[in-house]
Amino acid sequence: MAFAPAVLPAKPAPPLPQLPPAANHKTIILEQCRTLRDLHQIHARLIKTGAARLPSVAENLLECSALLLPGSLDYALEIFRGAPRPHAQAYNILIRAFIRSNSPQEALGLFLRMLACSVPPDKHTFSCVLKVCSRLRALRDGKQVHAHAVKCGLPSEEFVVNSLIHMYASCGEVVVARKLFDGMPKRGIVTWNAMLAGYFKAGDWGEVVELFRGMLELGMAFDEVTLISVLTACGRMGVLDLGEWIGDYVEANGLKRCQNLVTALVDMFAKCGEVDKARRLFDEMPSRDVVAWSAMISGYSQANRCREALALFHVMQKAKVEPNEVTMVSVLSSCADLGTLETGKWVHSYIKRKRLHVTVNLGTALVDFYAKCGCMESALETFEEMPNKNAWSWSVLIQGLASDGQGREALKVFSLMLEAEFQPTDVTFIGVLSACSHAGLVEEGQILFDSMSSEYGVQPRIEHYGCMVDLLGRAGLIEEAYHFIKSMPIEPNAVVWRTLLASCKIHKIVNFGEESLKQIIKLEPRHSGDYILLSNIYALVGRWEDAVSVRNQMKEKGIMKIPGCSLIELDGTIFEFFAEDSSHPQSKEIFSKVNEIITKLKLAGYVPNVAEARLDAEENEKEVSVSHHSEKLAIAFGLMKSPPGAVIRVSKNLRICTDCHLATKLISKVYKREIVVRDRNRFHHFKYGSCSCNDYW
């Protein structure tokens, strides 16, 4: 059955606002205007009474429509155009309105019209217009405004000078800003904050810290804005003592109610390595916005406490706080370090689902994540989809291809980078030289190393020399690598000698291995991996007594071996395995699976390399010791828990040993599984009994 529409009585029109006598119009207009309709009615009445022609009344109408009522800027422009001769105050109101509505170009255009109409600007005009120049990074316009302020006799006004400092600093002219600052006879807190903000924007953290110390020496007052800037600088510089002083000041003066200030403290403590103290502050916060969550997650990520970063991110999701770009970059960085592909893929899908803008930082973090998980196709696809790229983006892709063993592809990408007119950085060359090293491209690597300074103006750092030692050493040119080290213009560090030592293990070269360890002990005498490398070299050439002697030296010096550790992610959960560790709840089933695997591998021709066993293992225990290396346990668990045909992905903290490398090749063939292992140096893609490294690692 259809019903006729109900007939409602018409609402009575609201009464017109009652206006006071003309003398009080100025003080009442702003109080009576609550809506745009009120404004129209009041304006009509003022026109009727003739009061609208009074400059003070017109300016109040203008202020009400331009600044107080949302969506009424167009009406304000009509009022302004109707004014016969607008004063500076009227121009100031509209300039402020344009700034608020994010229309800086229109604000600058109105200022030029003001000058063209010979309306003299006042200090408020200059302050607003200089703010516009700051936003637009319009240094040339800012200088012209500065010159005009000088002509008007206003350059010494503190109000104007503060804006000038901010403008010059925002436009990168921090030295000019500091000259203005130093030339002021009297400086208030706004002036100090303007100078601090200038150094802050320039990333000159040392100057921020020094300027604040100067404030303290002079006994100057400061506020929360000051402290936030200084805390950020302390975090970047690692100046913990000053950061702790500010923390004590905040506590003593009851300033913990300021969420932004406490968030800055959390960020500072985390960046200075005091992550647990940062977490305690974070947990004490009565409410947390996305910035606070991001600061804490970023702190965990930067401290390499990636599992805690991801755990906190899951808590953030349960708290229904929407992540921002900083959150996503930190989470992706943690996923990349842990090799947690599924979690990172969820983050990528979230970015797409929410249609978040993919900035250069976020896009580069995605490329880095996929590359570090061994998914180079996804990394390349993500790179191609990035709307904007910088040299860092290209460098990350090159390094990813290098670690994946795709050396020639990495060099092709380097050529494309040059064609796109991006200047390679020192980081780019680390990736390029690593690519040559992993692919055995000795000649190409030497040419690129020589071109760094001559063609690209990049001076080689210790990392580049280390790449060259790795390039020569992996290729078996051990003597050449040794002489390269001896001819270096800078003092080689432990990493350089350690690189040569690792190459000596690959090629079973004893004499240069012994010399390498001698040099390392002078620099870093307690690094366990170095002793183990030489011990393994002795074992590989059958010098068992020397191998045991090196291990005994470790015991005498109290040097503990870093245990092999492998991670595997299944259904979003990370599982951790240590060599010969039986602490896992399902260790009995895992060891049984390992025994099954070894039995099948032996039928395929596998012979365990007992030289990779613990040296203190008895002869009848050596085979078991080798079979219980951490990556074998992780792979066995992956075979148990993942569906048939699924890719198994494992991350290891150390270089994969020769026995595990051989065994994993055979596992991929016998069980018809693709297995991706990321060790300390590179990726190994095992498939159909072969490895992507072609046994060159």
Side-chain angles (χ1 to χ4, degrees):
M1 182 183 293
F3 292 91
V7 178
L8 300 176
K11 288 184 179 179
L16 291 174
Q18 295 299 309
L19 296 177
N24 294 328
H25 287 158
K26 182 177 179 181
T27 58
I28 299 299
I29 289 174
L30 301 183
E31 295 177 10
Q32 293 203 352
C33 281
R34 294 289 181 269
T35 66
L36 193 56
R37 184 174 181 176
D38 290 344
L39 180 64
H40 289 167
Q41 291 176 340
I42 291 172
H43 192 192
R45 182 66 64 87
L46 289 170
I47 291 172
K48 196 171 183 179
T49 61
R53 289 191 295 273
L54 294 171
S56 60
V57 174
E59 285 167 10
N60 270 263
L61 270 171
L62 189 62
E63 185 172 1
C64 185
S65 57
L67 300 174
L68 300 181
L69 294 178
S72 57
L73 183 54
D74 289 340
Y75 194 77
L77 286 168
E78 288 182 28
I79 295 172
F80 181 81
R81 292 187 189 108
R85 286 183 297 278
H87 296 167
Q89 176 66 9
Y91 279 95
N92 293 347
I93 290 167
L94 267 187
I95 289 170
R96 285 167 57 205
F98 279 131
I99 293 171
R100 283 192 181 186
S101 65
N102 200 26
S103 304
Q105 291 286 6
E106 286 81 353
L108 199 56
L110 187 62
F111 174 68
L112 295 175
R113 177 181 167 183
M114 180 183 187
L115 298 180
C117 293
S118 301
V119 178
D122 59 18
K123 63 181 181 179
H124 299 286
T125 317
F126 285 116
S127 177
C128 288
V129 175
L130 287 167
K131 188 180 292 184
V132 169
C133 295
S134 299
R135 285 195 185 181
L136 294 172
R137 305 288 190 271
L139 179 61
R140 183 179 175 184
D141 292 327
K143 286 180 175 179
Q144 290 177 346
V145 174
H146 187 182
H148 204 82
V150 172
K151 288 179 184 176
C152 294
L154 294 172
S156 59
E157 281 275 355
E158 184 178 350
F159 202 60
V160 177
V161 178
N162 291 341
S163 299
L164 280 167
I165 290 170
H166 184 260
M167 184 276 295
Y168 279 114
S170 297
C171 294
E173 295 285 342
V174 187
V175 175
V176 178
R178 184 59 189 258
K179 283 181 180 177
L180 286 166
F181 176 84
D182 290 338
M184 293 182 70
K186 184 180 178 184
R187 297 187 286 262
I189 189 169
V190 176
T191 309
W192 285 91
N193 283 347
M195 194 63 244
L196 285 167
Y199 285 129
F200 186 100
K201 287 183 179 180
D204 200 339
W205 310 116
E207 288 293 343
V208 172
V209 170
E210 288 307 309
L211 193 63
F212 182 66
R213 291 191 192 277
M215 286 183 76
L216 296 179
E217 288 174 10
L218 293 171
M220 295 297 303
F222 50 83
D223 59 12
E224 292 162 1
V225 175
T226 319
L227 295 180
I228 289 170
S229 295
V230 178
L231 283 169
T232 304
C234 289
R236 298 294 194 282
M237 294 279 294
V239 185
L240 182 59
D241 60 337
L242 182 58
E244 287 181 324
W245 183 89
I246 294 173
D248 293 340
Y249 179 89
V250 168
E251 181 77 41
N253 289 275
L255 295 176
K256 280 193 171 181
R257 66 185 183 279
C258 177
Q259 183 171 285
N260 290 343
L261 184 54
V262 178
T263 298
L265 274 169
V266 169
D267 185 60
M268 181 276 300
F269 279 122
K271 283 186 169 61
C272 288
E274 297 286 340
V275 183
D276 294 326
K277 189 177 286 189
R279 182 60 190 264
R280 285 194 294 273
L281 265 176
F282 176 82
D283 289 338
E284 289 170 3
M285 294 176 73
S287 63
R288 310 175 192 96
D289 60 9
V290 64
V291 180
W293 284 95
S294 298
M296 194 63 246
I297 291 169
S298 175
Y300 277 132
S301 178
Q302 290 170 4
N304 287 323
R305 292 168 62 169
C306 299
R307 297 178 76 168
E308 289 164 283
L310 295 185
L312 188 60
F313 176 61
H314 292 314
V315 176
M316 178 184 179
Q317 289 176 284
K318 289 177 184 176
K320 300 190 183 307
V321 178
E322 292 285 323
N324 62 11
E325 179 193 347
V326 177
T327 323
M328 292 309 200
V329 169
S330 297
V331 171
L332 285 167
S333 176
S334 296
C335 291
D337 286 346
L338 292 172
T340 50
L341 180 63
E342 295 307 313
T343 305
K345 284 170 75 173
W346 180 89
V347 171
H348 195 183
S349 68
Y350 179 91
I351 292 167
K352 289 179 177 177
R353 194 167 62 250
K354 294 290 184 177
R355 297 181 180 179
L356 298 180
H357 176 58
V358 179
T359 62
V360 173
N361 284 345
L362 184 54
T364 304
L366 280 166
V367 173
D368 186 52
F369 154 69
Y370 279 120
K372 285 181 178 173
C373 286
C375 300
M376 284 313 304
E377 285 186 14
S378 297
L380 285 161
E381 184 182 330
T382 304
F383 180 81
E384 292 297 332
E385 290 174 355
M386 285 177 64
N388 295 299
K389 305 174 181 74
N390 60 13
W392 177 247
S393 312
W394 287 91
S395 301
V396 163
L397 182 61
I398 290 167
Q399 183 62 62
L401 288 164
S403 298
D404 204 56
Q406 300 185 48
R408 294 197 180 276
E409 286 300 314
L411 296 186
K412 286 179 184 176
V413 171
F414 178 65
S415 296
L416 291 172
M417 177 183 181
L418 298 178
E419 287 175 17
E421 298 183 350
F422 283 94
Q423 182 70 15
T425 66
D426 56 344
V427 176
T428 314
F429 278 104
I430 291 173
V432 170
L433 293 173
S434 296
C436 294
S437 179
H438 287 301
L441 305 173
V442 177
E443 187 177 344
E444 291 88 337
Q446 289 176 325
I447 292 169
L448 284 163
F449 180 79
D450 293 338
S451 72
M452 283 178 61
S453 55
S454 61
E455 291 186 35
Y456 303 103
V458 177
Q459 291 302 317
R461 295 190 286 111
I462 193 72
E463 292 85 354
H464 302 102
Y465 286 101
C467 287
M468 287 302 296
V469 172
D470 190 48
L471 173 67
L472 296 168
R474 282 177 188 272
L477 303 172
I478 303 296
E479 189 170 350
E480 289 86 339
Y482 175 77
H483 289 304
F484 180 85
I485 294 174
K486 299 300 286 184
S487 64
M488 282 170 54
I490 53 179
E491 195 69 26
N493 61 11
V495 176
V496 171
W497 286 109
R498 189 172 295 132
T499 301
L500 180 62
L501 179 59
S503 297
C504 290
K505 178 183 180 290
I506 295 171
H507 299 287
K508 305 176 187 177
I509 306 296
V510 175
N511 58 336
F512 286 111
E514 291 172 332
E515 177 62 23
S516 298
L517 184 60
K518 283 180 187 176
Q519 298 298 330
I520 294 169
I521 289 173
K522 294 176 185 176
L523 301 166
E524 292 181 13
R526 300 190 63 79
H527 192 282
S528 64
D530 305 321
Y531 294 89
I532 291 165
L533 276 171
L534 183 59
S535 174
N536 288 344
I537 294 172
Y538 286 139
L540 287 169
V541 297
R543 291 171 57 174
W544 296 101
E545 289 184 6
D546 290 328
V548 172
S549 174
V550 172
R551 299 286 180 129
N552 288 336
Q553 286 181 44
M554 288 177 63
K555 288 181 182 178
E556 290 167 9
K557 295 177 180 179
I559 300 170
M560 300 297 292
K561 178 183 181 293
I562 298 171
C565 173
S566 294
L567 303 178
I568 184 170
E569 181 192 27
L570 295 168
D571 298 324
T573 303
I574 303 165
F575 297 91
E576 189 174 50
F577 295 91
F578 291 91
E580 302 185 62
D581 180 30
S582 58
S583 63
H584 193 280
Q586 292 180 273
S587 59
K588 187 176 179 181
E589 294 92 330
I590 294 167
F591 288 138
S592 176
K593 186 68 176 179
V594 169
N595 292 336
E596 172 207 303
I597 292 168
I598 298 299
T599 301
K600 287 188 176 183
L601 295 190
K602 284 181 177 179
L603 293 173
Y606 168 66
V607 178
N609 182 1
V610 294
E612 299 284 2
R614 282 185 294 108
L615 286 178
D616 59 352
E618 297 295 332
E619 198 62 38
N620 61 344
E621 295 176 345
K622 286 186 177 181
E623 188 174 316
V624 175
S625 173
V626 171
S627 67
H628 290 174
H629 280 185
S630 64
E631 54 266 64
K632 289 194 183 83
L633 299 179
I635 291 169
F637 189 69
L639 288 170
M640 287 168 53
K641 297 296 182 181
S642 62
V647 178
I648 295 174
R649 299 177 184 276
V650 175
S651 297
K652 189 179 180 184
N653 64 332
L654 304 173
R655 181 179 178 274
I656 188 171
C657 73
T658 52
D659 183 77
C660 286
H661 192 269
L662 172 61
T664 308
K665 284 199 296 183
L666 290 171
I667 292 170
S668 71
K669 181 179 180 180
V670 171
Y671 286 87
K672 296 181 174 58
R673 291 289 194 104
E674 182 181 351
I675 303 171
V676 181
V677 177
R678 184 182 77 181
D679 71 5
R680 189 177 61 187
N681 295 328
R682 62 168 295 158
F683 277 96
H684 300 266
H685 295 263
F686 299 94
K687 201 171 185 180
Y688 307 126
S690 298
C691 179
S692 60
C693 74
N694 295 317
D695 299 335
Y696 187 86
W697 87 103

